[in-house]
Amino acid sequence: MSPLATTLRDTLQNETKQFDEMVDLHLDVPWRDFLRAWGELRMADVLKRDEAGAYYIGGAD
């Protein structure tokens, strides 16, 4: 897993975030790189969504 994908994973293990919130946290990253890292999480099949549509991994609130 790339360093960015690991960072995204770590964030979502600690708290729920909408996709746009995740993007806003990484505005310094080229869009292509962000989408590639997000795709890594999707391919790993670890992303879950709460009733409001926010993403999380594991037992995040």
Side-chain angles (χ1 to χ4, degrees):
M1 191 172 285
S2 70
L4 180 55
T6 299
T7 299
L8 298 176
R9 182 198 65 203
D10 292 348
T11 299
L12 293 173
Q13 284 178 329
N14 294 316
E15 56 189 312
T16 61
K17 294 279 187 195
Q18 294 288 340
F19 181 77
D20 65 319
E21 293 175 305
M22 293 297 290
V23 171
D24 288 346
L25 290 173
H26 301 282
L27 292 175
D28 59 325
V29 175
W31 183 240
R32 176 180 277 183
D33 295 342
F34 180 87
L35 289 179
R36 187 175 296 124
W38 188 259
E40 288 182 58
L41 292 181
R42 291 180 58 90
M43 292 294 290
D45 199 26
V46 297
L47 292 174
K48 299 176 185 175
R49 294 185 89 177
D50 67 11
E51 64 280 349
Y55 289 94
Y56 68 97
I57 294 174
D61 301 71

